[in-house]
Amino acid sequence: MNTYYSVLAAIDAVINIALAEVGYLEKASGVDLYDKTANAGDKNYTKYGYEMNKLYPAVMDYPAYWCDCFVDWCFYKAFGVCNAKKVLGGDFDDYTVASAQLFKNKGAWHTSRPQRGDQVFFANGTRICHTGLVYAVDSKYVYTIEGNTSDGSAVIRNGGAVCKKKYALSNHRIVGYGRPLYSLAVAEGSQLSTFDIKTGAGGVLVRVDGGLNIRSFPVSGSVVGTLSNGTAVYPTKKTFASNGDPWYY
């Protein structure tokens, strides 16, 4: 069961996991599931479906359409099974209609003003048929990471890849946003005070032999990347662990 020190850290964890999957192609069979591009096909075999079906076969079919399965997998990887289900409204479900209903049941359904970390849902005129994860929002567009889609500006519900997409906020295919209950993945008493800092245009250089680990949250967070020695970085915030050690965003 993974917990984080803040809602922002929890959102970052899910989004970073999803971004790392961009470019993954579904497979023609159950071979090479863990290679991003090998054995590409249109038979709906993916590592996401394989893992979620093993965890929860009652509602996670395999092979099957996998846009919602991909989103659930990202939350499972970020939070573990129990916390992921809580954050997603109480359960996993690879049927987009049922997945959206979980948010509605919790009063966490929104039809406007999306936020980073929301689960976006699309309809085809008959029902909700596709979904993805919101990784950014500005005054005109919502930016998403979606499974079982393809590049381009249109909503593609069966495209066979994990892609980054962009839509106008007014896009008629968007019917709503589920707002995951990220606070349920925040450890009690783990909120840390942060301070804004500036490092200038040149940033600061990493000076750690072997590189510097990037963690999903200070001290005990999972390692989500590594910065090589000599890399320029641009921290924006600073916090202090309980032992007084400084940590940077």
Side-chain angles (χ1 to χ4, degrees):
M1 180 183 296
N2 299 336
T3 57
Y4 294 79
Y5 74 95
S6 71
V7 168
L8 177 60
I11 293 172
D12 285 345
V14 174
I15 290 175
N16 288 336
I17 289 168
L19 286 171
E21 298 302 312
V22 171
Y24 183 93
L25 302 178
E26 74 176 62
K27 313 305 176 185
S29 64
V31 177
D32 294 321
L33 293 178
Y34 291 88
D35 188 293
K36 267 195 172 181
T37 57
N39 192 32
D42 60 358
K43 302 304 180 183
N44 292 310
Y45 287 93
T46 68
K47 67 179 182 181
Y48 319 115
Y50 173 73
E51 291 187 11
M52 295 306 293
N53 175 259
K54 287 182 67 176
L55 284 172
Y56 209 3
V59 295
M60 307 302 289
D61 297 324
Y62 177 73
Y65 291 139
W66 51 281
C67 62
D68 208 311
C69 178
F70 168 70
V71 173
D72 285 358
W73 181 88
C74 292
F75 279 80
Y76 151 62
K77 288 296 183 179
F79 306 132
V81 173
C82 293
N83 272 0
K85 290 166 67 175
K86 292 177 183 177
V87 170
L88 288 169
D91 210 348
F92 295 130
D93 205 308
D94 65 358
Y95 180 42
T96 52
V97 175
S99 184
Q101 190 62 47
L102 290 171
F103 290 111
K104 295 175 181 179
N105 293 344
K106 296 293 184 179
W109 179 258
H110 304 266
T111 57
S112 62
R113 298 182 180 180
Q115 296 181 9
R116 186 171 181 271
D118 283 355
Q119 185 172 350
V120 58
F121 290 88
F122 305 87
N124 58 10
T126 302
R127 65 169 179 85
I128 292 173
C129 64
H130 185 61
T131 190
L133 180 68
V134 176
Y135 73 90
V137 182
D138 61 27
S139 61
K140 294 182 179 180
Y141 299 101
V142 57
Y143 302 82
T144 66
I145 311 159
E146 300 166 28
N148 203 15
T149 191
S150 59
D151 290 330
S153 58
V155 176
I156 305 295
R157 63 183 291 266
N158 189 25
V162 178
C163 299
K164 293 168 70 175
K165 308 273 284 187
K166 180 179 83 171
Y167 306 95
L169 291 170
S170 59
N171 190 300
H172 72 282
R173 295 287 300 276
I174 299 174
V175 294
Y177 303 90
R179 187 146 303 153
L181 308 175
Y182 289 104
S183 61
L184 298 180
V186 175
E188 185 177 353
S190 62
Q191 296 279 1
L192 298 176
S193 298
T194 60
F195 308 89
D196 292 336
I197 60 173
K198 294 182 180 180
T199 56
V204 293
L205 297 181
V206 173
R207 294 299 189 194
V208 181
D209 291 339
L212 178 69
N213 285 336
I214 308 168
R215 294 186 178 272
S216 55
F217 59 99
V219 185
S220 59
S222 57
V223 175
V224 297
T226 304
L227 294 170
S228 301
N229 191 20
T231 302
V233 295
Y234 303 86
T236 59
K237 293 180 181 294
K238 184 176 184 179
T239 191
F240 291 91
S242 58
N243 64 357
D245 288 343
W247 289 74
Y248 299 89
Y249 296 82

